[in-house]
């Protein structure tokens, strides 16, 4: 599959190259005709290809006939009885919806616990906990666990590049920048962990430490540059010293479980363990964007962390519907895929939970990324809040794992 993507990429690159060469030829009298001809041929070919790529496909929603029945049922009590966290990203509006709190026993605030959101007007120093607090309190009042996401995130790009720490550090003489950043982080992490003590007891301490472009290397983010390459260990130790009761996770996005990147993540975690760094678990984000992972590899990968004595969670799950297009019913296939992940996770007692990076298909972060062919529709409820086959699959699985199987006939009668 990866080689297929590489091939498409190479073909596209060649076409663009031909386009550029034709453009140059068009300005060269001798070859003008050839240039014009090949320019327009390639241009139209690219246009057709991109139209084909960007026009969303539509798949039949056979599941709608079952929606009314499925809307009456929920799986949270089964997950609770298995002590398994099944969660979603959510704000107050989502959490207060019965479809949310009757199914999910865990919530992750999407952005509200990130540094840029907590500093008032993104200015370092003064905090505004109001948005985050309202999510945390409304979750806790419904007995929903909150995952803290994330204390440190080096990506801080685009809208999240707030506050801009590099900019902040420029006001300090070079030799003082390392201390300045450490002091800032110490105050920040102390403030957060104290503020949420007893409320949030699992945190992604460092999010996405690996570089996206250079397989297997740590990203040379502001923390790496000023605190040194063992900044991760330092921050975990700091967090543990502030609140020894809180569970500390390292969270990362991986696209395969048998490549350089996944190996680097494992080696990073193993090194932390070898150095007695207080890490409790790993978060495997699981944004499934380009291709479906090999699930046997995923299962073995998870077990490698278990062997280190660590917990694991799938922290940001979403598999784009388009990836299942070759199946007669993509919605069903997507559901079965989630069902397999649940089975793998539940079979491993150290896998504590699965969180979807969205509640309904109304709000999906992929939708803003126009270069992905739609439909994305990765979540358990569709845009009209109808439960999808993925919901049904999880419902059935939870029932089965908690020893309460029902027959198909019973199911249809709901
Ligand atoms: C990463 C981050 C999340 C979120 C997503 C995009 O996975 O960990 O917090 O920003 O990207 O929505």
């Amino acid at each position: 599959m990866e080689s297929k993507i590489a091939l498409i990429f190479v073909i596209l690159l060649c076409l663009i190259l031909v386009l550029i060469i034709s453009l140059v030829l068009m300005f060269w009298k001798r070859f003008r005709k050839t240039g014009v001809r090949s320019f327009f041929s390639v241009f139209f070919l690219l246009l057709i290809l991109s139209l084909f790529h960007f026009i969303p496909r539509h798949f039949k929603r056979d599941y709608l006939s079952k929606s009314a029945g499925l809307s009456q049922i929920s799986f949270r009590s089964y997950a609770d009885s298995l002590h398994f966290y099944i969660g979603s990203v959510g704000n107050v509006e989502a959490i207060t919806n019965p479809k949310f709190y009757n199914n999910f026993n865990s919530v992750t605030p999407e952005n509200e616990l990130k540094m840029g959101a907590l500093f008032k007007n993104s200015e370092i120093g003064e905090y505004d906990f109001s948005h985050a607090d309202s999510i945390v309190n409304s979750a806790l009042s419904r007995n929903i666990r909150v995952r803290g996401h994330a204390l440190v995130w080096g990506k801080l790009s685009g809208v999240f590049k707030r506050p801009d720490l590099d900019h902040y550090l420029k006001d300090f003489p070079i030799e003082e920048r390392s201390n300045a950043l450490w002091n800032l982080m110490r105050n920040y992490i102390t403030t957060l962990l104290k503020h949420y003590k007893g409320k949030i007891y699992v945190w992604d301490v460092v999010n996405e430490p690996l570089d996206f472009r250079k397989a297997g290397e740590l990203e040379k983010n502001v923390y790496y540059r000023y605190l040194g390459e063992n900044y991760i260990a330092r921050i975990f130790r700091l967090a543990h010293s502030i609140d020894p009761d809180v569970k500390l996770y390292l969270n990362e996005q991986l696209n395969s479980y048998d490549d350089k990147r996944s190996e680097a993540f494992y080696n990073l975690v193993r090194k932390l363990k070898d150095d007695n760094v207080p890490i409790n678990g790993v978060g495997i984000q699981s944004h499934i964007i380009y291709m479906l992972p090999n699930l046997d590899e995923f299962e073995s990968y998870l077990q490698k962390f278990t062997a280190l004595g660590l917990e694991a969670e799938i922290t940001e799950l979403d598999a784009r519907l388009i990836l299942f297009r070759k199946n007669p019913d993509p919605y069903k296939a997507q559901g079965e895929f989630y069902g397999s992940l649940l089975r793998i996770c539940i079979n491993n007692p150290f896998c504590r939970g699965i969180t979807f990076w969205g509640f309904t298909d109304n709000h999906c972060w992929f939708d803003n990324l126009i270069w992905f062919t739609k439909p994305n529709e990765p979540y358990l409820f569709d845009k009209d809040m109808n439960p999808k086959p993925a919901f049904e699959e999880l419902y059935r699985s939870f029932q089965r794992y908690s020893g309460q199987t029902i027959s198909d006939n019973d199911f249809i009668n709901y």
Side-chain angles (χ1 to χ4, degrees):
M1 186 70 183
E2 258 172 349
S3 57
K4 202 172 145 193
I5 294 176
L7 183 70
I8 296 174
F9 187 69
V10 170
I11 293 176
L12 270 179
L13 220 61
C14 291
L15 285 174
I16 291 171
L17 204 67
V18 175
L19 199 71
I20 295 170
I21 295 173
S22 323
L23 198 66
V24 174
L25 290 182
M26 277 163 66
F27 292 99
W28 191 348
K29 212 171 170 194
R30 200 161 143 210
F31 296 107
R32 184 167 296 155
K33 262 192 182 162
T34 322
V36 171
R37 250 188 244 135
S38 65
F39 178 85
F40 282 104
S41 318
V42 178
F43 178 79
F44 283 115
L45 185 64
L46 279 172
L47 195 72
I48 290 167
L49 285 178
S50 49
L51 277 182
F52 181 72
H53 179 76
F54 290 117
I55 289 176
R57 323 270 169 89
H58 292 284
F59 303 124
K60 266 182 74 190
R61 295 166 186 268
D62 286 340
Y63 67 85
L64 286 177
S65 58
K66 275 189 181 177
S67 295
L70 287 173
S71 290
Q72 309 301 313
I73 57 179
S74 54
F75 49 68
R76 176 180 173 160
S77 56
Y78 304 115
D80 284 344
S81 73
L82 289 161
H83 303 289
F84 189 85
Y85 290 112
I86 184 77
S88 162
V89 140
N91 53 19
V92 174
E93 195 193 335
I95 294 170
T96 48
N97 184 318
K99 283 200 168 113
F100 192 102
Y101 62 74
N102 284 334
N103 287 300
F104 298 115
N105 56 13
S106 177
V107 67
T108 306
E110 186 172 7
N111 296 313
E112 293 79 353
L113 284 171
K114 288 174 183 163
M115 192 187 243
L118 288 172
F119 280 133
K120 208 168 185 176
N121 303 322
S122 290
E123 287 298 324
I124 288 168
E126 222 185 313
Y127 291 85
D128 176 4
F129 282 106
S130 57
H131 298 293
D133 280 358
S134 53
I135 295 182
V136 172
N137 294 334
S138 90
L140 295 182
S141 68
R142 288 166 180 82
N143 212 9
I144 294 173
R145 173 194 75 155
V146 181
R147 283 199 94 253
H149 174 80
L151 288 180
V152 166
W153 188 27
K155 290 269 165 341
L156 289 178
S157 59
V159 24
F160 304 123
K161 201 170 173 63
R162 290 174 309 171
D164 184 336
L165 293 178
D166 275 302
H167 183 75
Y168 166 76
L169 291 171
K170 279 205 180 99
D171 289 344
F172 293 85
I174 293 180
E175 64 284 3
E176 283 175 24
R177 288 182 189 166
S178 168
N179 272 340
L181 182 58
W182 185 247
N183 288 339
L184 168 69
M185 292 317 290
R186 199 179 39 220
N187 288 339
Y188 177 75
I189 293 174
T190 307
T191 307
L192 245 70
L193 291 185
K194 290 204 161 145
H195 187 85
Y196 288 113
K197 181 149 177 73
K199 291 188 165 185
I200 299 182
Y201 57 90
V202 54
W203 277 95
D204 290 330
V205 178
V206 176
N207 190 31
E208 298 182 338
L210 296 182
D211 196 308
F212 268 128
R213 287 152 302 172
K214 297 181 198 128
E217 283 183 32
L218 283 182
E219 189 186 56
K220 311 287 183 291
N221 57 40
V222 68
Y223 304 103
Y224 181 101
R225 282 183 276 112
Y226 290 107
L227 303 179
E229 67 175 315
N230 74 339
Y231 80 92
I232 301 173
R234 289 180 72 186
I235 287 178
F236 268 80
R237 290 200 169 103
L238 171 69
H240 182 70
S241 71
I242 298 163
D243 186 353
D245 298 328
V246 93
K247 284 196 174 170
L248 308 177
Y249 272 59
L250 187 66
N251 197 43
E252 185 54 274
Q253 166 66 14
L254 304 169
N255 299 320
S256 153
Y257 303 102
D258 185 24
D259 63 358
K260 239 176 137 181
R261 190 177 162 77
S262 56
E263 195 187 324
F265 183 60
Y266 171 75
N267 288 337
L268 172 63
V269 172
R270 200 185 54 188
K271 170 98 176 45
L272 294 174
K273 276 298 276 181
D274 288 349
D275 295 345
N276 289 319
V277 173
I279 174 172
N280 301 96
V282 290
I284 315 274
Q285 291 188 1
S286 311
H287 295 295
I288 297 171
I289 306 175
Y290 305 108
M291 58 181 178
L292 297 174
N294 177 316
L295 290 180
D296 292 334
E297 284 172 8
F298 175 66
E299 189 159 18
S300 320
Y301 191 64
L302 214 55
Q303 279 157 3
K304 282 170 69 171
F305 293 104
T306 306
L308 294 178
L310 290 172
E311 298 182 353
E313 289 195 34
I314 293 179
T315 49
E316 306 186 18
L317 178 61
D318 33 31
R320 300 168 60 225
L321 186 65
I322 192 81
L323 300 181
F324 302 91
R325 64 187 174 280
K326 294 204 172 122
N327 295 274
D329 182 348
Y331 288 100
K332 193 158 183 285
Q334 184 189 48
E336 284 163 1
F337 174 75
Y338 289 149
S340 304
L341 284 180
L342 182 65
R343 172 181 52 74
I344 292 171
C345 210
I346 282 192
N347 282 343
N348 179 332
F350 289 85
C351 184
R352 307 288 294 121
I354 295 182
T355 295
F356 287 87
W357 206 245
F359 170 35
T360 76
D361 290 335
N362 265 316
H363 175 64
C364 165
W365 69 283
F366 295 133
D367 284 347
N368 303 325
L369 307 176
I370 49 156
W371 54 89
F372 291 134
T373 313
K374 294 189 170 71
N376 294 316
E377 298 180 28
Y379 304 123
L380 300 186
F381 298 92
D382 71 13
K383 292 192 172 161
D384 303 313
M385 299 293 290
N386 295 307
K388 292 160 62 183
F391 171 89
E392 179 178 345
E393 180 70 31
L394 291 201
Y395 178 83
R396 282 176 181 275
S397 304
F398 274 125
Q399 274 213 326
R400 202 166 47 245
Y401 299 133
S402 54
Q404 306 182 45
T405 33
I406 49 168
S407 75
D408 270 6
N409 284 341
D410 289 339
F411 197 74
I412 286 158
N413 288 336
Y414 270 106

